[in-house]
Amino acid sequence: TGLTTTVGFFGQWAVTPIPDLIVAPSARVDYWQNHDAFQIDEAGRAPIPAKKFAFFSPRLAVRWQVVEPLAVRGAVYRGFVAPNLQALYRGARPQNSIIMPNPELTPEILRVGGEIGSDLALGPFAPRLTLFWNEIQDAITPVTVSAAPLVTQARNVAETRNRGVAVAAPWRISRRWSLLPDYTYADSIITSNPANPNLEGHMVTDLPRHQASFKLGFDDPRIATARLGGRYLRRRWGNETNTQNLDEHFVLDLSASRRLTKNLEVYFDGENLLDRRYTSVQIGSLPVLGEPLYVALG
């Protein structure tokens, strides 16, 4: 077990050097520490040395209103993601495999990230387009320690690159109806892995190249409030060798509510209404199924 302490400070400044141009530099300073950790085995209680990490995350964002309906924007930034206590100290023992903890893990570093995009404001229709590029070093990647039984351990051994495009098109159809479709294409690959160079060029686990969703909303207090949503994920890989396939799938959800009196409301909540059976994640050799059909009335 162990404790994680994080402290952060954030500041931002916005300036308009010329009309219709906004420049917004910002910065965040984070301090992250794992401490008071220990493991218990046959020899008794053994303390684990504390780990400390401080990181400076700058960001520069720019937005230019080219003409009344069209704005272009861009940003460059850095950042980090700290490992969680599960990966550091607890590990897991899924069926027929072992995931060892690794107290030596350090944060993943977003070495450089950038995006450029455009926003249109056509009355109730406001489409957005974003191109993005991220390079991550010290990426936490599962490494096979033993094949029989399968034993893996997360380690900081890889560099990855994630680039792609995201499109969203919010549309206020009428006073009652709204629609939000979106689509993301992401090419996420391992660019360097000294522990196993054969993995270079492979896709990052659990990240599909194609994913899309929609949300259809209805809002009229005299009738009901309802949300119909669907999400589609293309094929993903469940392991770093890209040999365990996670199912392509589409899931449909619906929620609705109606207020009958000041103090009484009835609701419906339905998830995976089509009762699709799919593998959501791979833990060692164990495929974990996604949530089945779920319906609640209240």
Side-chain angles (χ1 to χ4, degrees):
T1 185
L3 298 175
T4 296
T5 299
T6 59
V7 179
F9 300 93
F10 173 78
Q12 178 175 291
W13 179 49
V15 60
T16 305
I18 60 175
D20 300 322
L21 177 65
I22 299 175
V23 180
S26 62
R28 180 183 175 107
V29 178
D30 289 273
Y31 172 77
W32 170 79
Q33 181 184 29
N34 280 341
H35 54 100
D36 296 333
F38 62 88
Q39 292 179 329
I40 298 177
D41 53 25
E42 295 82 359
R45 174 169 166 161
I48 299 174
K51 295 185 71 68
K52 303 177 182 179
F53 179 82
F55 194 79
F56 175 66
S57 306
R59 177 185 175 93
L60 177 63
V62 178
R63 189 177 191 274
W64 178 32
Q65 191 73 41
V66 182
V67 292
E68 182 56 35
L70 174 65
V72 294
R73 50 182 163 76
V76 291
Y77 41 81
R78 297 189 71 213
F80 80 100
V81 175
N84 57 35
L85 293 176
Q86 177 82 20
L88 286 163
Y89 305 127
R90 295 175 187 155
R93 296 181 66 90
Q95 182 180 358
N96 300 325
S97 62
I98 300 172
I99 301 177
M100 296 174 56
N102 184 0
E104 298 300 320
L105 284 176
T106 59
E108 295 183 327
I109 305 298
L110 175 60
R111 182 170 53 201
V112 59
E115 61 185 58
I116 185 171
S118 63
D119 302 327
L120 271 175
L122 303 175
F125 185 55
R128 303 188 301 266
L129 172 69
T130 303
L131 305 175
F132 58 87
W133 178 295
N134 298 319
E135 294 183 2
I136 297 174
Q137 69 182 40
D138 296 330
I140 298 175
T141 304
V143 174
T144 300
V145 179
S146 170
L150 178 62
V151 179
T152 61
Q153 184 182 50
R155 298 178 183 174
N156 298 95
V157 294
E159 294 184 5
T160 65
R161 184 203 65 213
N162 183 23
R163 61 185 179 184
V165 57
V167 181
W171 181 22
R172 188 70 182 182
I173 303 172
S174 67
R175 183 174 60 86
R176 296 176 177 175
W177 292 93
S178 62
L179 177 64
L180 174 57
D182 65 68
Y183 165 78
T184 300
Y185 170 83
D187 180 33
S188 302
I189 64 170
I190 298 172
T191 56
S192 176
N193 192 318
N196 187 354
N198 292 328
L199 298 181
E200 296 176 6
H202 285 205
M203 290 182 63
V204 176
T205 59
D206 201 31
L207 288 177
R209 273 205 170 96
H210 303 274
Q211 56 182 313
S213 69
F214 76 89
K215 295 179 182 177
L216 178 64
F218 177 84
D219 192 357
D220 188 335
R222 298 170 299 176
I223 303 175
T225 298
R227 298 290 183 270
L228 177 67
R231 58 188 186 277
Y232 165 77
L233 271 70
R234 191 69 183 272
R235 185 185 67 179
R236 300 161 290 147
W237 297 109
N239 62 351
E240 72 277 13
T241 57
N242 290 179
T243 56
Q244 294 171 327
N245 183 30
L246 300 182
D247 304 328
E248 175 182 16
H249 63 273
F250 174 77
V251 176
L252 190 66
D253 302 327
L254 173 65
S255 63
S257 64
R258 167 72 189 275
R259 183 166 293 280
L260 301 181
T261 69
K262 180 180 178 181
N263 299 313
L264 179 62
E265 182 180 27
V266 295
Y267 70 87
F268 169 85
D269 186 21
E271 299 177 9
N272 194 2
L273 294 177
L274 304 178
D275 199 19
R276 299 298 191 193
R277 181 183 175 92
Y278 62 93
T279 300
S280 65
V281 68
Q282 189 86 20
I283 301 179
S285 60
L286 176 67
V288 178
L289 296 181
E291 294 295 330
L293 171 66
Y294 168 83
V295 173
L297 295 171

